[in-house]
């Protein structure tokens, strides 16, 4: 990217052993102050971030290939976003939209009604987190249909609140011992091309789920199907072609609300504004968060007007939902995404990174699959020559990358997926360097397996 001026030097530079003394001192304070249940991927404490780098308290500069879990799509301190936040904060930080409304909220709703898939009439409500958006999407679907049941899928991740824990598939570390969970949530098999039986098409995978829905729940009791169009925490799983479209067609025929959880996949990340576009599906409701507001906590539910407007006044909301500072940030961030054509930028990243990772996959036998779309890319790590997940090796690769100054995240139902989510404003050279570090580590570690 040549048309971006960065505030911080865009370089990888490790100047202390990791963690350095300042981060170590903060870790000690943290142990005495912060609940142990809150984890962190890296033991280094951030003091600055810009473009494709994060700088820690000891002056170490890391290449950021995680974007705070797909959040800082426009960077963590884009000047347009920072200025919008400062300007809004000068005027008012809060009035509560449910008390004294303001234009920013309405403007974000207008933008999302236009940007999300489909040209039907839409309405939007704003919240604070992805989980809160999902909770509210389910509320809307239940009220609008008068039905109780909700279908979620294997490998799903929808959050950590009570209802969203019920929707999330993986027990540790998201659910174990936190139950009882919300009722009327049913789990169905998804499409996981690498691990499904050979030759299973997307349509067949969808029919497998539909036949179970019909026998175990019955369409007349089903309010909603919720699914991530590319499963995120579950392993960046791109469903087989035809899977999502078969499900949406069945949902439409049976009066079931189809909810696309685009919390992780939304806002240019996958090379389109929303991942649903890759499969040509038009969800009834879309949930969004993460990339929406340049790092500020904002989430949204956008859906068909007749569904969203079915809810009585006061049924949706929350003290902070659609906070004016976060709305100002979202308006600025969406402007940056448009101006820099970040969906196009994500497609460029896909082309360059996938070709390098695919070449590596030919060379080593610990890569089960390279997959993903746009700048939401994954490497599934396996025991040599098998499909057996290798979570330990995955962890070791991520740890070594961090020690060499490249921050990468892992995910996956089996903990064996390296996921790449760079900020879309990262420069080509820096991204290339990060991928070189990663591929060298994988090559080196694979040679010892
Ligand atoms: C698809 C999806 N839905 C929901 C959530 C929950 O979002 P939050 O952590 O903001 O509650 C996440 C978070 O990773 C997600 O990836």
């Amino acid at each position: 990217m040549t048309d971006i001026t960065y505030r911080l030097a865009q370089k990888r530079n490790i100047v202390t052993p990791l963690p350095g003394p300042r981060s170590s001192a903060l870790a000690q304070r943290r142990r005495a102050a912060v609940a142990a249940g809150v984890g962190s991927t890296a033991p280094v404490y951030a003091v600055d971030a810009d473009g494709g780098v994060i700088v820690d308290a000891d002056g170490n500069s890391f290449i950021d290939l995680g974007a705070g879990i797909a959040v800082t799509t426009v960077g963590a301190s884009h000047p347009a976003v920072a200025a919008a936040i400062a300007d809004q904060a000068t005027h008012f930080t809060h009035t509560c939209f449910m008390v004294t409304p303001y234009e920013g909220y309405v403007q974000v709703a207008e933008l999302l009604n236009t940007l999300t898939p489909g040209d039907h009439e839409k309405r939007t409500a704003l919240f604070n987190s992805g989980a809160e958006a999902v909770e509210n999407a389910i509320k809307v679907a239940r009220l609008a249909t008068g039905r109780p049941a909700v279908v979620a899928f294997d490998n799903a991740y929808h959050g950590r609140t009570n209802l969203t824990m019920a929707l999330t598939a993986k027990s540790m570390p998201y659910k174990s011992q936190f139950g009882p969970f919300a009722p009327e949530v049913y789990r169905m098999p998804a499409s996981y091309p690498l691990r499904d039986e050979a030759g299973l098409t997307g349509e067949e995978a969808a029919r497998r789920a539909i036949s179970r829905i019909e026998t175990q729940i019955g369409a007349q009791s089903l309010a909603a199907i919720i699914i991530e169009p590319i499963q995120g925490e579950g392993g960046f799983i791109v469903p087989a072609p035809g899977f999502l479209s078969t499900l949406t067609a069945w949902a439409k025929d049976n009066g079931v609300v189809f909810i696309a959880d685009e919390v992780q996949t939304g806002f240019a990340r996958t090379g389109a504004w929303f991942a649903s576009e890759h499969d040509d599906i038009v969800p009834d409701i879309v949930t969004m968060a993460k990339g929406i507001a340049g790092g500020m906590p904002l989430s949204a539910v956008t859906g068909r007007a007749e569904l969203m407007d079915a809810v009585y006044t006061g049924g949706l909301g929350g003290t902070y939902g659609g906070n004016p500072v976060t709305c100002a940030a979202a308006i600025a961030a969406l402007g940056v995404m448009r101006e820099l054509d970040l969906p196009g930028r994500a497609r460029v990243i896909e082309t360059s990174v996938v070709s390098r990772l695919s070449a590596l996959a030919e060379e080593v036998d610990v890569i089960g699959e390279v997959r993903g779309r746009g700048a939401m890319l994954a490497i599934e790590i396996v025991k040599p020559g098998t499909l057996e997940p290798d979570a330990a090796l995955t962890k070791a690769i991520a740890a070594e990358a961090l020690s060499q100054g490249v921050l990468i995240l892992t995910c996956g139902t089996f903990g064996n997926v390296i996921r790449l989510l760079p900020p879309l404003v990262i420069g080509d050279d820096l991204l290339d360097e990060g991928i070189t570090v990663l591929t060298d580590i994988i090559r080196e570690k694979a040679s010892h397996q």
Side-chain angles (χ1 to χ4, degrees):
M1 292 213 96
T2 48
D3 45 359
I4 293 186
T5 313
Y6 301 103
R7 186 174 48 80
L8 295 180
Q10 296 295 293
K11 59 174 203 255
R12 175 171 66 107
N13 191 20
I14 300 303
V15 295
T16 69
L18 297 180
R22 292 209 167 99
S23 280
S24 297
L26 283 165
Q28 206 170 345
R29 278 171 56 196
R30 171 194 180 137
R31 273 191 291 279
V34 178
V38 183
S40 298
T41 299
V44 296
Y45 283 70
V47 293
D48 214 341
D50 176 38
V53 296
I54 295 178
V55 176
D56 80 1
D58 296 285
N60 299 298
S61 178
F62 298 86
I63 299 178
D64 178 15
L65 298 186
I69 322 186
V71 169
T72 52
T73 302
V74 300
S77 56
H78 192 285
V81 175
I85 290 170
D87 182 60
Q88 180 57 46
T90 309
H91 292 285
F92 61 96
T93 56
H94 179 82
T95 57
C96 187
F97 192 75
M98 299 184 304
V99 177
T100 318
Y102 38 86
E103 185 179 350
Y105 190 119
V106 178
Q107 198 178 336
V108 171
E110 288 167 347
L111 286 166
L112 297 182
N113 292 348
T114 308
L115 273 179
T116 48
D119 50 16
H120 50 279
E121 199 174 338
K122 298 173 200 157
R123 301 282 187 269
T124 289
L126 301 179
F127 304 96
N128 305 288
S129 68
E132 208 187 341
V134 169
E135 292 253 357
N136 279 281
I138 303 289
K139 279 168 64 173
V140 169
R142 281 183 169 148
L143 190 146
T145 59
R147 303 171 180 179
V150 178
V151 157
F153 288 84
D154 286 341
N155 312 305
Y157 183 85
H158 298 289
R160 286 180 162 96
T161 58
N162 187 267
L163 174 57
T164 59
M165 277 193 293
L167 296 167
T168 290
K170 191 171 174 177
S171 173
M172 271 305 273
Y174 306 128
K175 305 170 70 163
S176 180
Q177 300 173 81
F178 292 139
F181 301 114
E184 286 300 323
V185 171
Y186 299 85
R187 189 162 314 287
M188 295 297 153
S191 165
Y192 193 159
L194 179 69
R195 297 188 175 279
D196 281 339
E197 62 194 78
L200 188 78
T201 66
E203 185 177 343
E204 286 162 353
R207 294 270 160 233
R208 175 176 67 180
I210 288 165
S211 118
R212 289 195 202 178
I213 292 171
E214 286 173 339
T215 49
Q216 293 179 24
I217 310 165
Q220 70 287 351
S221 298
L222 184 59
I225 289 176
I226 182 164
I227 192 162
E228 303 149 82
I230 297 174
Q231 293 185 310
E233 303 300 304
F236 283 25
I237 305 162
V238 183
F243 179 70
L244 294 173
S245 56
T246 305
L247 284 179
T248 50
W250 181 85
K252 188 164 181 233
D253 289 347
N254 289 278
V256 173
V257 176
F258 186 90
I259 304 171
D261 183 353
E262 295 250 16
V263 163
Q264 189 155 167
T265 48
F267 300 106
R269 175 56 54 191
T270 68
W273 279 99
F274 294 95
S276 296
E277 294 166 38
H278 298 296
D279 293 89
D280 268 332
I281 59 164
V282 177
D284 299 308
I285 294 181
V286 182
T287 53
M288 295 156 271
K290 292 196 184 278
I292 188 172
M296 297 296 276
L298 179 69
S299 68
V301 179
T302 298
R304 292 185 183 279
E306 64 274 21
L307 298 175
M308 299 296 289
D309 283 346
V311 179
Y312 44 83
T313 301
L316 303 176
T319 305
Y320 296 111
N323 168 276
V325 180
T326 66
C327 286
I331 294 160
L334 292 169
V336 172
M337 289 178 214
R338 251 203 204 115
E339 192 190 311
L340 298 179
D341 180 23
L342 292 189
R345 172 69 184 150
R347 293 193 294 273
V348 169
I349 289 175
E350 175 180 341
T351 306
S352 74
V353 175
V354 167
S355 73
R356 296 194 60 194
L357 298 182
S358 301
L360 178 70
E362 297 285 308
E363 248 181 80
V364 300
D365 55 5
V366 298
I367 295 182
E369 190 175 46
V370 171
R371 61 173 176 257
R373 289 193 200 277
M376 182 174 182
L377 300 171
I379 311 168
E380 180 153 349
I381 302 291
V382 291
K383 299 258 164 72
T386 72
L387 279 185
E388 201 187 322
D390 195 337
L393 178 58
T394 309
K395 216 169 149 189
I397 292 166
E400 180 57 27
L402 183 76
S403 76
Q404 294 189 29
V406 180
L407 180 54
I408 60 167
L409 306 174
T410 61
C411 65
T413 295
F414 312 108
N416 69 323
V417 178
I418 287 171
R419 55 168 155 176
L420 303 174
L421 290 163
L424 297 183
V425 293
I426 193 170
D428 289 329
D429 292 349
L430 198 66
L431 178 61
D432 226 43
E433 184 181 332
I435 299 299
T436 300
V437 169
L438 176 62
T439 50
D440 285 351
I441 292 169
I442 295 176
R443 200 175 284 115
E444 203 275 324
K445 293 220 178 280
S447 70
H448 299 300
Q449 295 301 304

